[in-house]
mmCIF file of all heavy atoms in Angstrom:
data_model
loop_
_atom_site.group_PDB
_atom_site.id
_atom_site.type_symbol
_atom_site.label_atom_id
_atom_site.label_comp_id
_atom_site.label_asym_id
_atom_site.label_seq_id
_atom_site.Cartn_x
_atom_site.Cartn_y
_atom_site.Cartn_z
ATOM 1 N N PHE K 17 -24.001 51.474 69.642
ATOM 2 C CA PHE K 17 -23.900 52.829 69.203
ATOM 3 C C PHE K 17 -25.359 53.354 69.054
ATOM 4 O O PHE K 17 -25.624 54.586 69.468
ATOM 5 C CB PHE K 17 -23.149 52.881 67.838
ATOM 6 C CG PHE K 17 -23.139 54.251 67.212
ATOM 7 C CD1 PHE K 17 -22.269 55.185 67.667
ATOM 8 C CD2 PHE K 17 -23.966 54.541 66.119
ATOM 9 C CE1 PHE K 17 -22.229 56.509 67.108
ATOM 10 C CE2 PHE K 17 -23.969 55.810 65.608
ATOM 11 C CZ PHE K 17 -23.090 56.769 66.025
ATOM 12 N N GLY K 18 -26.256 52.587 68.505
ATOM 13 C CA GLY K 18 -27.604 53.034 68.280
ATOM 14 C C GLY K 18 -28.330 53.351 69.603
ATOM 15 O O GLY K 18 -29.206 54.212 69.631
ATOM 16 N N GLN K 19 -27.922 52.702 70.635
ATOM 17 C CA GLN K 19 -28.535 53.005 71.994
ATOM 18 C C GLN K 19 -28.235 54.410 72.467
ATOM 19 O O GLN K 19 -28.901 54.913 73.325
ATOM 20 C CB GLN K 19 -28.025 51.939 72.978
ATOM 21 C CG GLN K 19 -28.487 50.513 72.700
ATOM 22 C CD GLN K 19 -29.952 50.275 73.073
ATOM 23 O OE1 GLN K 19 -30.686 51.182 73.443
ATOM 24 N NE2 GLN K 19 -30.403 49.026 72.908
ATOM 25 N N THR K 20 -27.181 55.025 71.966
ATOM 26 C CA THR K 20 -26.732 56.317 72.480
ATOM 27 C C THR K 20 -27.405 57.480 71.800
ATOM 28 O O THR K 20 -27.116 58.630 72.170
ATOM 29 C CB THR K 20 -25.175 56.429 72.392
ATOM 30 O OG1 THR K 20 -24.884 56.484 71.022
ATOM 31 C CG2 THR K 20 -24.532 55.226 72.995
ATOM 32 N N VAL K 21 -28.173 57.223 70.722
ATOM 33 C CA VAL K 21 -28.755 58.365 69.941
ATOM 34 C C VAL K 21 -30.264 58.220 69.862
ATOM 35 O O VAL K 21 -30.860 57.181 70.188
ATOM 36 C CB VAL K 21 -28.135 58.352 68.500
ATOM 37 C CG1 VAL K 21 -26.617 58.571 68.610
ATOM 38 C CG2 VAL K 21 -28.465 57.126 67.769
ATOM 39 N N ASP K 22 -30.909 59.285 69.384
ATOM 40 C CA ASP K 22 -32.346 59.280 69.227
ATOM 41 C C ASP K 22 -32.772 58.877 67.806
ATOM 42 O O ASP K 22 -33.772 58.234 67.696
ATOM 43 C CB ASP K 22 -32.900 60.689 69.510
ATOM 44 C CG ASP K 22 -32.600 61.238 70.874
ATOM 45 O OD1 ASP K 22 -32.799 60.430 71.853
ATOM 46 O OD2 ASP K 22 -31.991 62.274 71.069
ATOM 47 N N VAL K 23 -32.034 59.311 66.847
ATOM 48 C CA VAL K 23 -32.301 59.008 65.451
ATOM 49 C C VAL K 23 -30.984 58.438 64.841
ATOM 50 O O VAL K 23 -29.964 58.956 65.055
ATOM 51 C CB VAL K 23 -32.772 60.223 64.654
ATOM 52 C CG1 VAL K 23 -33.038 59.885 63.176
ATOM 53 C CG2 VAL K 23 -33.941 60.870 65.333
ATOM 54 N N LEU K 24 -31.183 57.318 64.040
ATOM 55 C CA LEU K 24 -29.965 56.696 63.453
ATOM 56 C C LEU K 24 -30.109 56.720 61.965
ATOM 57 O O LEU K 24 -31.195 56.422 61.382
ATOM 58 C CB LEU K 24 -29.888 55.296 63.974
ATOM 59 C CG LEU K 24 -28.573 54.487 63.725
ATOM 60 C CD1 LEU K 24 -27.406 55.257 64.310
ATOM 61 C CD2 LEU K 24 -28.679 53.126 64.370
ATOM 62 N N THR K 25 -29.097 57.109 61.253
ATOM 63 C CA THR K 25 -29.065 57.123 59.811
ATOM 64 C C THR K 25 -27.712 56.564 59.278
ATOM 65 O O THR K 25 -26.876 56.155 60.059
ATOM 66 C CB THR K 25 -29.314 58.524 59.228
ATOM 67 O OG1 THR K 25 -29.576 58.436 57.859
ATOM 68 C CG2 THR K 25 -28.188 59.475 59.552
ATOM 69 N N ILE K 26 -27.491 56.572 57.944
ATOM 70 C CA ILE K 26 -26.327 55.996 57.377
ATOM 71 C C ILE K 26 -25.765 56.952 56.289
ATOM 72 O O ILE K 26 -26.500 57.719 55.739
ATOM 73 C CB ILE K 26 -26.636 54.629 56.722
ATOM 74 C CG1 ILE K 26 -27.600 54.738 55.549
ATOM 75 C CG2 ILE K 26 -27.208 53.567 57.747
ATOM 76 C CD1 ILE K 26 -27.831 53.539 54.675
ATOM 77 N N GLU K 27 -24.501 56.725 56.030
ATOM 78 C CA GLU K 27 -23.886 57.360 54.908
ATOM 79 C C GLU K 27 -23.262 56.336 53.944
ATOM 80 O O GLU K 27 -22.646 56.649 52.968
ATOM 81 C CB GLU K 27 -22.839 58.395 55.291
ATOM 82 C CG GLU K 27 -21.607 57.827 55.947
ATOM 83 C CD GLU K 27 -20.275 57.970 55.229
ATOM 84 O OE1 GLU K 27 -20.055 59.109 54.711
ATOM 85 O OE2 GLU K 27 -19.499 57.038 55.134
ATOM 86 N N ILE K 28 -23.461 55.060 54.283
ATOM 87 C CA ILE K 28 -22.979 53.913 53.549
ATOM 88 C C ILE K 28 -23.895 52.740 53.864
ATOM 89 O O ILE K 28 -24.351 52.571 55.010
ATOM 90 C CB ILE K 28 -21.540 53.596 53.885
ATOM 91 C CG1 ILE K 28 -20.950 52.484 52.951
ATOM 92 C CG2 ILE K 28 -21.340 53.229 55.359
ATOM 93 C CD1 ILE K 28 -19.487 52.250 53.106
ATOM 94 N N GLU K 29 -24.273 51.914 52.868
ATOM 95 C CA GLU K 29 -25.205 50.855 53.087
ATOM 96 C C GLU K 29 -24.617 49.537 53.562
ATOM 97 O O GLU K 29 -25.360 48.577 53.884
ATOM 98 C CB GLU K 29 -26.145 50.646 51.971
ATOM 99 C CG GLU K 29 -25.537 50.392 50.634
ATOM 100 C CD GLU K 29 -25.404 51.729 49.788
ATOM 101 O OE1 GLU K 29 -25.039 52.730 50.403
ATOM 102 O OE2 GLU K 29 -25.571 51.643 48.589
ATOM 103 N N ARG K 30 -23.272 49.484 53.586
ATOM 104 C CA ARG K 30 -22.645 48.217 54.078
ATOM 105 C C ARG K 30 -22.569 48.281 55.651
ATOM 106 O O ARG K 30 -21.572 48.535 56.253
ATOM 107 C CB ARG K 30 -21.285 48.036 53.476
ATOM 108 C CG ARG K 30 -21.392 47.831 51.955
ATOM 109 C CD ARG K 30 -20.005 47.466 51.332
ATOM 110 N NE ARG K 30 -18.953 48.489 51.644
ATOM 111 C CZ ARG K 30 -18.878 49.621 50.883
ATOM 112 N NH1 ARG K 30 -19.753 49.904 49.929
ATOM 113 N NH2 ARG K 30 -17.906 50.466 51.123
ATOM 114 N N VAL K 31 -23.721 47.980 56.264
ATOM 115 C CA VAL K 31 -23.895 48.065 57.707
ATOM 116 C C VAL K 31 -24.597 46.820 58.165
ATOM 117 O O VAL K 31 -25.233 46.070 57.405
ATOM 118 C CB VAL K 31 -24.627 49.368 58.150
ATOM 119 C CG1 VAL K 31 -23.871 50.646 57.716
ATOM 120 C CG2 VAL K 31 -26.067 49.350 57.560
ATOM 121 N N ASN K 32 -24.528 46.608 59.491
ATOM 122 C CA ASN K 32 -25.233 45.443 60.075
ATOM 123 C C ASN K 32 -26.743 45.706 60.187
ATOM 124 O O ASN K 32 -27.150 46.435 61.126
ATOM 125 C CB ASN K 32 -24.591 45.092 61.420
ATOM 126 C CG ASN K 32 -25.088 43.759 61.916
ATOM 127 O OD1 ASN K 32 -26.276 43.498 62.190
ATOM 128 N ND2 ASN K 32 -24.152 42.807 62.095
ATOM 129 N N VAL K 33 -27.536 45.139 59.330
ATOM 130 C CA VAL K 33 -28.976 45.394 59.353
ATOM 131 C C VAL K 33 -29.620 44.646 60.479
ATOM 132 O O VAL K 33 -30.643 45.180 61.019
ATOM 133 C CB VAL K 33 -29.553 45.009 57.944
ATOM 134 C CG1 VAL K 33 -31.060 45.244 57.951
ATOM 135 C CG2 VAL K 33 -28.911 45.807 56.832
ATOM 136 N N ASP K 34 -29.129 43.536 60.836
ATOM 137 C CA ASP K 34 -29.766 42.815 62.030
ATOM 138 C C ASP K 34 -29.763 43.730 63.294
ATOM 139 O O ASP K 34 -30.840 43.763 63.990
ATOM 140 C CB ASP K 34 -28.990 41.558 62.352
ATOM 141 C CG ASP K 34 -29.133 40.494 61.249
ATOM 142 O OD1 ASP K 34 -30.053 40.528 60.474
ATOM 143 O OD2 ASP K 34 -28.224 39.595 61.186
ATOM 144 N N ALA K 35 -28.747 44.441 63.544
ATOM 145 C CA ALA K 35 -28.697 45.329 64.677
ATOM 146 C C ALA K 35 -29.629 46.501 64.468
ATOM 147 O O ALA K 35 -30.360 46.909 65.446
ATOM 148 C CB ALA K 35 -27.270 45.906 64.857
ATOM 149 N N LEU K 36 -29.720 47.024 63.246
ATOM 150 C CA LEU K 36 -30.670 48.105 62.995
ATOM 151 C C LEU K 36 -32.152 47.643 63.141
ATOM 152 O O LEU K 36 -32.971 48.424 63.705
ATOM 153 C CB LEU K 36 -30.473 48.693 61.600
ATOM 154 C CG LEU K 36 -29.134 49.279 61.288
ATOM 155 C CD1 LEU K 36 -29.098 49.800 59.851
ATOM 156 C CD2 LEU K 36 -28.808 50.421 62.229
ATOM 157 N N GLU K 37 -32.406 46.436 62.732
ATOM 158 C CA GLU K 37 -33.771 45.830 62.979
ATOM 159 C C GLU K 37 -34.141 45.760 64.446
ATOM 160 O O GLU K 37 -35.247 46.012 64.835
ATOM 161 C CB GLU K 37 -33.959 44.566 62.219
ATOM 162 C CG GLU K 37 -33.978 44.749 60.676
ATOM 163 C CD GLU K 37 -33.976 43.428 59.929
ATOM 164 O OE1 GLU K 37 -33.554 42.370 60.506
ATOM 165 O OE2 GLU K 37 -34.394 43.409 58.756
ATOM 166 N N ALA K 38 -33.146 45.274 65.211
ATOM 167 C CA ALA K 38 -33.390 45.137 66.639
ATOM 168 C C ALA K 38 -33.654 46.505 67.273
ATOM 169 O O ALA K 38 -34.522 46.686 68.105
ATOM 170 C CB ALA K 38 -32.185 44.510 67.318
ATOM 171 N N LEU K 39 -32.855 47.485 66.878
ATOM 172 C CA LEU K 39 -33.094 48.869 67.468
ATOM 173 C C LEU K 39 -34.438 49.386 67.022
ATOM 174 O O LEU K 39 -35.161 50.011 67.861
ATOM 175 C CB LEU K 39 -31.959 49.749 66.914
ATOM 176 C CG LEU K 39 -30.576 49.541 67.452
ATOM 177 C CD1 LEU K 39 -29.509 50.221 66.603
ATOM 178 C CD2 LEU K 39 -30.491 50.049 68.923
ATOM 179 N N GLU K 40 -34.821 49.157 65.752
ATOM 180 C CA GLU K 40 -36.132 49.621 65.298
ATOM 181 C C GLU K 40 -37.318 48.969 66.072
ATOM 182 O O GLU K 40 -38.261 49.615 66.446
ATOM 183 C CB GLU K 40 -36.252 49.335 63.828
ATOM 184 C CG GLU K 40 -37.602 49.869 63.196
ATOM 185 C CD GLU K 40 -37.671 49.538 61.717
ATOM 186 O OE1 GLU K 40 -37.473 48.333 61.330
ATOM 187 O OE2 GLU K 40 -37.837 50.500 60.864
ATOM 188 N N ARG K 41 -37.130 47.646 66.364
ATOM 189 C CA ARG K 41 -38.189 46.919 67.111
ATOM 190 C C ARG K 41 -38.287 47.514 68.532
ATOM 191 O O ARG K 41 -39.435 47.493 69.162
ATOM 192 C CB ARG K 41 -37.827 45.440 67.218
ATOM 193 C CG ARG K 41 -38.096 44.678 66.003
ATOM 194 C CD ARG K 41 -38.056 43.141 66.192
ATOM 195 N NE ARG K 41 -36.795 42.685 66.674
ATOM 196 C CZ ARG K 41 -35.780 42.318 65.928
ATOM 197 N NH1 ARG K 41 -35.897 42.318 64.658
ATOM 198 N NH2 ARG K 41 -34.648 41.877 66.468
ATOM 199 N N GLU K 42 -37.215 48.031 69.069
ATOM 200 C CA GLU K 42 -37.280 48.652 70.422
ATOM 201 C C GLU K 42 -37.707 50.059 70.403
ATOM 202 O O GLU K 42 -37.684 50.691 71.462
ATOM 203 C CB GLU K 42 -35.824 48.489 71.009
ATOM 204 C CG GLU K 42 -35.442 47.018 71.266
ATOM 205 C CD GLU K 42 -33.907 46.944 71.658
ATOM 206 O OE1 GLU K 42 -33.322 47.961 71.931
ATOM 207 O OE2 GLU K 42 -33.490 45.772 71.659
ATOM 208 N N GLY K 43 -38.111 50.591 69.206
ATOM 209 C CA GLY K 43 -38.647 51.912 69.132
ATOM 210 C C GLY K 43 -37.715 53.018 68.715
ATOM 211 O O GLY K 43 -38.045 54.174 68.678
ATOM 212 N N LYS K 44 -36.464 52.588 68.390
ATOM 213 C CA LYS K 44 -35.478 53.593 67.861
ATOM 214 C C LYS K 44 -35.909 54.037 66.439
ATOM 215 O O LYS K 44 -36.339 53.233 65.589
ATOM 216 C CB LYS K 44 -34.110 52.981 67.886
ATOM 217 C CG LYS K 44 -32.975 53.956 67.551
ATOM 218 C CD LYS K 44 -32.715 54.858 68.771
ATOM 219 C CE LYS K 44 -32.292 54.135 70.024
ATOM 220 N NZ LYS K 44 -32.003 55.104 71.143
ATOM 221 N N ARG K 45 -35.742 55.309 66.196
ATOM 222 C CA ARG K 45 -36.048 55.857 64.819
ATOM 223 C C ARG K 45 -34.835 55.590 63.953
ATOM 224 O O ARG K 45 -33.764 56.214 64.198
ATOM 225 C CB ARG K 45 -36.362 57.328 64.928
ATOM 226 C CG ARG K 45 -37.655 57.597 65.728
ATOM 227 C CD ARG K 45 -37.762 59.001 66.208
ATOM 228 N NE ARG K 45 -37.654 59.998 65.088
ATOM 229 C CZ ARG K 45 -38.698 60.318 64.296
ATOM 230 N NH1 ARG K 45 -39.893 59.707 64.432
ATOM 231 N NH2 ARG K 45 -38.518 61.223 63.323
ATOM 232 N N VAL K 46 -34.977 54.748 63.028
ATOM 233 C CA VAL K 46 -33.875 54.334 62.059
ATOM 234 C C VAL K 46 -34.317 54.672 60.643
ATOM 235 O O VAL K 46 -35.317 54.085 60.195
ATOM 236 C CB VAL K 46 -33.475 52.855 62.209
ATOM 237 C CG1 VAL K 46 -32.333 52.523 61.271
ATOM 238 C CG2 VAL K 46 -33.231 52.515 63.577
#
């Protein structure tokens, strides 16, 4: 899902952080 957007945010904190960290390392704005 993160690959399809430019900026990623949340409305709930019960999310997969490992995936968010991978996206951030690849330059995604999270």
Side-chain angles (χ1 to χ4, degrees):
F17 176 77
Q19 294 283 4
T20 68
V21 300
D22 301 309
V23 181
L24 193 57
T25 190
I26 64 170
E27 65 117 45
I28 186 170
E29 53 268 40
R30 294 189 300 281
V31 296
N32 192 296
V33 179
D34 292 337
L36 296 182
E37 288 174 338
L39 290 163
E40 185 181 52
R41 285 193 299 270
E42 294 170 10
K44 191 69 63 178
R45 293 161 58 79
V46 183

